[in-house]
Structure formats: C-alpha cells, structure tokens
C-alpha cells in the first residue's frame, strides 16, 4: 500500500495509517502512543532498575520502570483529546479522561510487560488494546485496534486496525518506518513457547506438549510475552501458551491488556487465540484485572491443544453447570 514511487521503507507510521484511511482520531491516538514509546525507550536505557517502593494490586513490587512507563503513557493519553477512559496493569481501576464517548477511544495497556527482565537485559514491550467509545469492560472482539512496541535489539512497533497486521522499525531519527505489511501466520508451527511450570501442567496440556515434542517442534521461550508473541508473528508460525495450571485454573496473563490485544493481532494475521476451550476474543471480562489461560498462534496447533484439553481435562465446571441448567430446563 506504499505510494507509488516511494519505497515502502519510507512509509512512516502516520502515512501508513492515512493511506489505510484509518479514522483521524484513531490515527492521532496510535501516533501518540508511538511517540510515548520513545520516552519509555529512554527510561529503559537509562532508568533506575530499582523498585518504586510501591506495589500494584497483584501485590507485585512495582519497578521504577513500570511506574515510569505507566506515567509516560497516561500523560500522553490524558492530553491526546481523543481518549474517554484508560486502564493499565499498574492502575487499580479505570481512570476517566473525558465524559463524552462519541468519536473517542478507550485504552487498556500494559505499559511495560516483562519489566523484571530488564535487569538481565532481555527484551520487553508495551501492549495496547483500543476500543471505540467508553466501554473497556467488553469482549475483545469489540476492539477496533491493537498494537505493541517491542524494545529489543531493535525497537519495532506492530499494529492492526482490523485490516491486516503491519510491522514498523524505529530508524536513527526515531521515526517508525514500515518494514512488513499484512503479516500472516501459517496453520501449523515448528516452535512452541510454553509458559508456567511444567510440573503444574494438567494431563491435557502435558499430552499436548508431548505431541509437539514428538513432532520435533522446537522450544523457544524468553519469559517476555511481547518478544515471545512477536517471534510467532514474525516467524509466521508457532504457538505460545500460558495454560491453566494445577492450582491456578486462570493461568497468569491478564485478559484486557495482555491477551485481548495479542489475540486481535494474531487473528488478524490468520492465527487463533483460545483459553483452551473458548476463543479469547469472545470471553466476557468479569473484572478489569481478570486473568485467563491462553493458547495463541498457528490455528491447527491451537485446535490441537483444545482437543487434548477437551479429551483429558474435561469441560470446565462452569460449562458443566450451564449444561446441567440447560438439561434441567429442557427435560
Ligand atoms: P508483566 O511483567 O507485565 O507482569 O508480565 C510478565 C508476564 C509475561 O511477560 C510473560 O509471558 C509471563 O509473565 C512470564 O511468566 P513466568 O515468569 O511465570 O514464565
Ligand atoms: Mn504484562
Ligand atoms: Mn507489566
């Protein structure tokens, strides 16, 4: 979609959004988040790696970087004039920015995912979910855009507004210029990224992993959700999962600002994202910080995981309850 005569590498983020006829306010919002990432890069490179002396509602010690990244994004969104409500991993509740919803957007974000990896110099990222209007507590299929910025050896930005997934790289002028358009994920992968503890895997997940290993699928896991997903996306195949574990049926990752945006991007690239039984984007959030298990990446690999879970882990009690209520009413 680059303009004739311009090589696609000269297409910067704002031009790409314009050429794809993305709504002006949404274009402005995505560009503001991209701008904010430049200050987050600076804080990662130079910032204090210590603790902020505070903790988020998970009781996790907030690193100075988590809080700093959160403040940088919050300020940008606050002054953008196109945002209605925001919430983040570092906030206890939704923060209203503007009372009118018309033409505005609401943003759920993880300002610095994998922040504990910074002090061992591994890649980290910012994850953003964008919905139209004021409602942030809705199923992920209502998102209008999603994006992440990956602070790795190179800084890259990946976004989708529902018309394919596109990757940008930060150049020496700190501009994001187009690297790849319409990224696609093949149905079957050759790498897997297994989160959580293997000794806590359920029989279904354990059998799924063994089937991958029997197929010679390689293990690639960095411990950072953004680089691990980016690897599946940019290699064009593979599966990431952070499953339900014995003792933690909801796994670890948060639906609103980690799973929904990544599920939006991966589905836009032709992949799939499930909690092991249900499509991630169809999950109705019951709490702004709700968690869910996740299996995300190549469609056939996600379907295989679901099959093992269905066969060996049975159906969730909640589904059984629903069935028995339904059976009771129909009998
Ligand atoms: P965050 O740093 O925002 O809390 O997220 C960390 C997440 C995610 O990056 C990754 O997939 C997962 O933690 C790794 O968890 P384990 O260390 O339990 O594997
Ligand atoms: Mn996170
Ligand atoms: Mn985080």
């Amino acid at each position: 979609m680059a303009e004739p005569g311009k090589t696609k590498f000269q297409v910067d983020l704002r031009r790409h959004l314009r050429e794809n006829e993305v709504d002006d306010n949404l274009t402005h919002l995505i560009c503001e988040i991209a701008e904010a990432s430049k200050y987050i890069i600076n804080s990662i490179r130079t910032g204090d790696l210590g603790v902020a002396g505070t903790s988020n509602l998970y009781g996790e010690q907030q690193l100075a970087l988590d809080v700093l990244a959160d403040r940088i994004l919050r300020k940008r969104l606050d002054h953008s004039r196109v945002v209605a409500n925001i919430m983040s991993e570092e906030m206890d509740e939704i923060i209203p920015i503007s009372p009118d919803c018309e033409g505005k957007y609401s943003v759920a974000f993880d300002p610095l995912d994998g922040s504990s990896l910074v002090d061992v110099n591994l890649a980290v990222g910012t994850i953003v979910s964008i919905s139209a209007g004021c409602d942030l507590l809705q199923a992920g299929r209502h998102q209008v855009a999603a994006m992440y910025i990956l602070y790795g050896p190179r800084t890259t930005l990946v976004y989708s507004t529902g018309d394919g997934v596109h990757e940008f790289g930060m150049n020496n002028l700190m501009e994001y210029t187009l690297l790849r358009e319409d990224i696609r994920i093949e149905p079957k992968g050759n790498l897997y990224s297994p989160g959580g503890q293997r000794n806590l895997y359920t029989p279904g997940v354990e059998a799924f992993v063994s089937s991958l290993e029997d197929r010679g699928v390689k293990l690639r896991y960095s411990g950072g959700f953004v680089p691990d997903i980016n690897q599946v996306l940019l290699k064009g195949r593979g599966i990431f999962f952070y499953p339900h574990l014995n003792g933690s049926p909801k796994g670890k990752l948060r639906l609103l600002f980690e799973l929904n945006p990544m599920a939006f991007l991966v589905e836009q690239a032709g992949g799939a994202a499930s909690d092991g039984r249900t499509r991630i984007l169809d999950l109705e959030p019951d709490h702004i910080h709700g968690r869910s298990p996740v299996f995300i990446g190549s469609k056939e690999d996600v379907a295989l995981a679901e099959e093992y879970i269905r066969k060996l882990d049975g159906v969730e009690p909640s589904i059984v309850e629903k069935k028995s209520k339904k059976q009771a009413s129909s009998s």
Side-chain angles (χ1 to χ4, degrees):
M1 278 173 251
E3 266 178 4
K6 271 201 171 305
T7 65
K8 69 174 186 172
F9 294 101
Q10 290 162 350
V11 176
D12 69 8
L13 178 61
R14 188 179 298 278
R15 180 190 297 276
H16 195 264
L17 289 159
R18 287 265 155 80
E19 282 176 3
N20 283 277
E21 291 159 11
V22 173
D23 166 82
D24 287 350
N25 283 356
L26 183 53
T27 293
H28 176 63
L29 175 57
I30 290 172
C31 290
E32 280 298 283
I33 294 167
E35 275 305 299
S37 73
K38 298 175 185 176
Y39 297 86
I40 295 176
I41 293 168
N42 188 47
S43 65
I44 292 169
R45 302 256 184 281
T46 59
D48 165 13
L49 300 181
V51 260
T54 51
S55 60
N56 60 20
L57 86 165
Y58 303 102
E60 292 161 347
Q61 276 198 324
Q62 286 175 307
L63 295 174
L65 288 180
D66 281 326
V67 175
L68 193 50
D70 193 58
R71 289 234 178 91
I72 290 166
L73 273 163
R74 196 186 300 197
K75 200 163 147 222
R76 274 274 162 178
L77 295 173
D78 197 1
H79 299 156
S80 69
R81 301 186 319 284
V82 295
V83 168
N85 293 312
I86 61 172
M87 71 82 57
S88 89
E89 182 183 86
E90 308 309 329
M91 300 175 193
D92 296 350
E93 59 215 356
I94 291 175
I95 295 189
I97 303 291
S98 153
D100 53 316
C101 308
E102 194 48 42
K104 292 199 186 322
Y105 295 91
S106 287
V107 186
F109 60 97
D110 183 346
L112 200 58
D113 178 84
S115 48
S116 55
L117 299 171
V118 173
D119 57 4
V120 291
N121 205 18
L122 283 175
V124 292
T126 296
I127 312 170
V128 183
S129 164
I130 300 173
S131 305
C134 287
D135 186 0
L136 269 173
L137 209 55
Q138 53 181 336
R141 64 177 177 275
H142 298 299
Q143 292 171 105
V144 293
M147 64 193 285
Y148 62 77
I149 296 104
L150 175 53
Y151 312 106
R154 294 184 302 140
T155 299
T156 54
L157 179 151
V158 169
Y159 90 86
S160 176
T161 54
D163 184 15
V165 185
H166 317 294
E167 184 201 26
F168 293 75
M170 180 175 274
N171 66 17
N172 50 3
L173 300 175
M174 292 197 93
E175 297 157 334
Y176 285 109
T177 56
L178 183 65
L179 294 178
R180 287 182 53 177
E181 277 183 323
D182 294 326
I183 296 165
R184 302 301 292 169
I185 297 178
E186 294 168 23
K188 217 172 172 67
N190 64 348
L191 67 89
Y192 74 102
S193 213
Q197 287 172 237
R198 188 91 185 252
N199 61 317
L200 300 177
Y201 282 11
T202 57
V205 178
E206 187 52 48
F208 171 59
V209 172
S210 303
S211 76
L212 293 175
E213 289 181 351
D214 292 349
R215 206 170 91 204
V217 176
K218 281 180 284 187
L219 191 159
R220 290 285 182 275
Y221 188 74
S222 81
F225 189 41
V226 179
D228 288 342
I229 292 291
N230 188 67
Q231 175 172 227
V232 169
L233 256 179
L234 275 300
K235 294 269 187 204
R237 50 189 177 156
I239 183 167
F240 172 96
F241 51 93
Y242 203 110
H244 49 291
L245 302 168
N246 287 323
S248 326
K250 289 284 185 190
K252 171 179 184 181
L253 297 175
R254 282 54 60 115
L255 183 59
L256 282 192
F257 45 79
E258 290 172 327
L259 302 185
N260 275 345
M262 291 307 198
F264 183 88
L265 292 167
V266 165
E267 284 201 4
Q268 276 294 313
S274 161
D275 69 353
R277 296 179 174 92
T278 307
R279 181 187 180 222
I280 289 286
L281 295 183
D282 286 338
L283 295 177
E284 295 296 340
D286 49 13
H287 182 274
I288 54 171
H289 287 276
R291 300 171 192 264
S292 168
V294 64
F295 300 78
I296 180 170
S298 292
K299 244 185 180 134
E300 288 178 21
D301 292 346
V302 172
L304 186 63
E306 291 178 324
E307 197 184 322
Y308 276 110
I309 290 164
R310 203 174 17 256
K311 271 193 201 137
L312 299 172
D313 290 356
V315 288
E316 257 177 331
S318 54
I319 297 179
V320 172
E321 274 152 32
K322 272 185 215 146
K323 271 209 181 111
S324 56
K325 278 190 198 125
K326 213 162 132 203
Q327 279 158 345
S329 60
S330 59
S331 54

